Each structure stands twice: as structure tokens, then as C-alpha cells.
């Protein structure tokens, strides 16, 4: 097993390009990470990485070994999955990513119940509104809102997610209620934008009588955390584009109200992203089925609780 640990460590160092990053990912110390790589190099009698104080680069031997190492780990994972499937006793760690709002409201509350039902499975949940890479970040599953960029990955649809433009009554009293997307631009409304490295949506895509159109809105505030945008909107600082399920409670209580209702935002898909190989793992399959069924029901209930102008 120690040799397999060395191989797993090598693969993560190779993919992340850093001993320290791989150590954090595997939850081992830098000293253990370095020791495992050194032990593997000694066993193979080759140098797998060129190291300097500032960089780490795979050697030709390291690049060649990586392909075989990944195949070995995939074979071991498949074999373990087959055994777990036969015994109906899946175990191991699952690395899951999700957007902040989805993760906080829908996934995190379900994790303890899932673990109680399957006590041999550990959940490592990472929440971020940026786009994640399943392969390089060592993830098994990624929940997302929108359209994935990587067509090589598999998608399990969950639900279509309605969205709404919202503002607090305080903001509307000060700036007025824009009737449509053109008014958002013309009257220079303070639009609260979700921004993170690589964010694709720098315009708001709204429904019009001529079909979907993009409106180049502007605003003084940006953040990479969607919940911060909600807090700013609640404080009367501007207009936010939000999934309905995230702000349903605020809408029903009147703390936020829909704006620009003539041109509502286009709905987006919520789905689960995974590789074909991960789908074969019983614990991955169990977690996806458990979460998608419950998340879909919760989101539909939240959306149906809000009466939006049409």
C-alpha cells in the first residue's frame, strides 16, 4: 500500500505542479510528500522531477511514468469499486465541488444525513463560484449552474434554475424600478456583478420579445461570492441577478422585489459534472443519486413558492 501511496502522491504533484499543493490536497505534510517522491525515484532509479527553489518540472521519465501511474490508479479504483458494489458497502473519500450558494443551501445540509446512511464514505466538500477542473483538482463530482466548458465530461441534469433581477425597496425608492434591460443601461443602474478569474458572463442575458439579448450593465461593486451580492442588494446598494431559489425567502418576505420584469434573465441549468470513470464508482453513483433527487425537489419547491411577474 505504501507504494500505491507514493504513486498517488506523484500523480497529484505532477497535476498540481507543486509539492506543497499536492501535500495540502492529500492532507499530508510537505516532508511526507517529498519523502514519497524520493522513495519512488529511488525505487525506479530515475529522477521524476527537476527541482529548484522556485520551480518543479517533470522530467521526460516523469512524463512517461505519469501515463502509466494514472492507469494503475484507475485500475485499482475500478477494482475497489467492483468489490464495494458486490458487498454493497462502499467506502472511501469523495471530493465534491459546488457553487457557494448551492453548496451552502442545498448540499451541505444533506451531507450529514448521507454520511449517517453510508458511514464508510467521507465527504470533502469545496465551495467556490469559480469554474473548477475535475482532473487537475482531484475532484470526483462538480455541481454547477450554467453550461460546462468541457465536452469530454459527463453531465447529469438536475433541474432548470429560474433567475430573477432583484433590488431592495430602499434602492427602488432612491433610483426607481427599471422596467426592462434597456432601462438598466440607459439609467446607469448600479448592477451588482459576480466576477472571478475566467468568469464568462460580463453581460446580463435577458429574455426579450426578439429572443435572448445581452445587456452591457455596469456597477460600482463586484465580488466572487454570490452571497455577498445578495447582502449588498438587501442593503439597498444595487440590483443583483440571482437564482430564484437563493432569494425566495427574501422575495416572499418583501425584503427584495423583482425589477426589470419585462426582460427577466434566461434560466440556467443545474447539473452534476463527472468523468465516465468516476461514474463507475459505487460511492460516486450513490452520492449523485442521493443529492440530485433531493436538490431537484428543494429547488423546485423554492421556485414554486415565489410568484414572479410574467
Amino acid at each position: 500500500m505504501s507504494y500505491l501511496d507514493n504513486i498517488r502522491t506523484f500523480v497529484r504533484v505532477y497535476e498540481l505542479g507543486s509539492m506543497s499543493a499536492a501535500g495540502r490536497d492529500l492532507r499530508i505534510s510537505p516532508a511526507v510528500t517529498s519523502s514519497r517522491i524520493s522513495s519512488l525515484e529511488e525505487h525506479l532509479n530515475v529522477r521524476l522531477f527537476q527541482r529548484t527553489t522556485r520551480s518543479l518540472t517533470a522530467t521526460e521519465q516523469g512524463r512517461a511514468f505519469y501515463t502509466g501511474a494514472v492507469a494503475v490508479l484507475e485500475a485499482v479504483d475500478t477494482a475497489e469499486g467492483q468489490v464495494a458494489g458486490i458487498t454493497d458497502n462502499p467506502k472511501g473519500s469523495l471530493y465534491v465541488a459546488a457553487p457557494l450558494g448551492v453548496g451552502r443551501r442545498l448540499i451541505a445540509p444533506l451531507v450529514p444525513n448521507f454520511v449517517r446512511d453510508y458511514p464508510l464514505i467521507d465527504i470533502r466538500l469545496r465551495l467556490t463560484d469559480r469554474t473548477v477542473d475535475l482532473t487537475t483538482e482531484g475532484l470526483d463530482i462538480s455541481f454547477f449552474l450554467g453550461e460546462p466548458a468541457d465536452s469530454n465530461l459527463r453531465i447529469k441534469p438536475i433541474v432548470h434554475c429560474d433567475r430573477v433581477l432583484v433590488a431592495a425597496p430602499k434602492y427602488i425608492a432612491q433610483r426607481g424600478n427599471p422596467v426592462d434591460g434597456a432601462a438598466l443601461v440607459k439609467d446607469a443602474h448600479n448592477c451588482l456583478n459576480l466576477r472571478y478569474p475566467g468568469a464568462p458572463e460580463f453581460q446580463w442575458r435577458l429574455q426579450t420579445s426578439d429572443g435572448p439579448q445581452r445587456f452591457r450593465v455596469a456597477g460600482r461593486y463586484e465580488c466572487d461570492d454570490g452571497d455577498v451580492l445578495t447582502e449588498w442588494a438587501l442593503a439597498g446598494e444595487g440590483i443583483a441577478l440571482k437564482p430564484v431559489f437563493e432569494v425566495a425567502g427574501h422575495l416572499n418576505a418583501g425584503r427584495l422585489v423583482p425589477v426589470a420584469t419585462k426582460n427577466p434573465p434566461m434560466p440556467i441549468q443545474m447539473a452534476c459534472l463527472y468523468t465516465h470513470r468516476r461514474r463507475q464508482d459505487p460511492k460516486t453513483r450513490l452520492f449523485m443519486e442521493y443529492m440530485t433527487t433531493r436538490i431537484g425537489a428543494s429547488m423546485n419547491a423554492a421556485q414554486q413558492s415565489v410568484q414572479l411577474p410574467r
Side-chain angles (χ1 to χ4, degrees), residues 174-286:
Q174 294 172 343
R175 295 292 312 276
N177 188 336
V179 297
D180 55 20
L184 290 174
V185 178
K186 175 178 175 291
D187 297 334
H189 279 275
N190 192 35
C191 297
L192 308 171
N193 290 304
L194 183 68
R195 294 283 188 269
Y196 50 88
E201 190 166 306
F202 288 89
Q203 301 172 354
W204 284 356
R205 190 163 176 256
L206 309 179
Q207 303 177 56
T208 75
S209 58
D210 296 323
Q213 291 187 17
R214 294 187 179 274
F215 292 83
R216 189 177 294 278
V217 297
R220 299 174 60 196
Y221 307 161
E222 296 179 356
C223 189
D224 61 357
D225 183 336
D227 281 349
V228 171
L229 303 185
T230 302
E231 293 301 320
W232 283 339
L234 287 166
E237 297 296 335
I239 297 172
L241 191 162
K242 302 295 300 181
V244 169
F245 80 92
E246 285 193 14
V247 293
H250 299 307
L251 288 166
N252 289 329
R255 292 185 293 269
L256 294 173
V257 296
V259 301
T261 54
K262 188 175 179 180
N263 297 144
M266 295 293 296
I268 56 175
Q269 180 186 44
M270 182 176 179
C272 195
L273 205 61
Y274 60 95
T275 66
H276 176 71
R277 178 175 63 85
R278 299 293 191 190
R279 184 66 174 84
Q280 310 312 310
D281 186 337
K283 64 178 181 292
T284 301
R285 194 163 59 246
L286 274 172

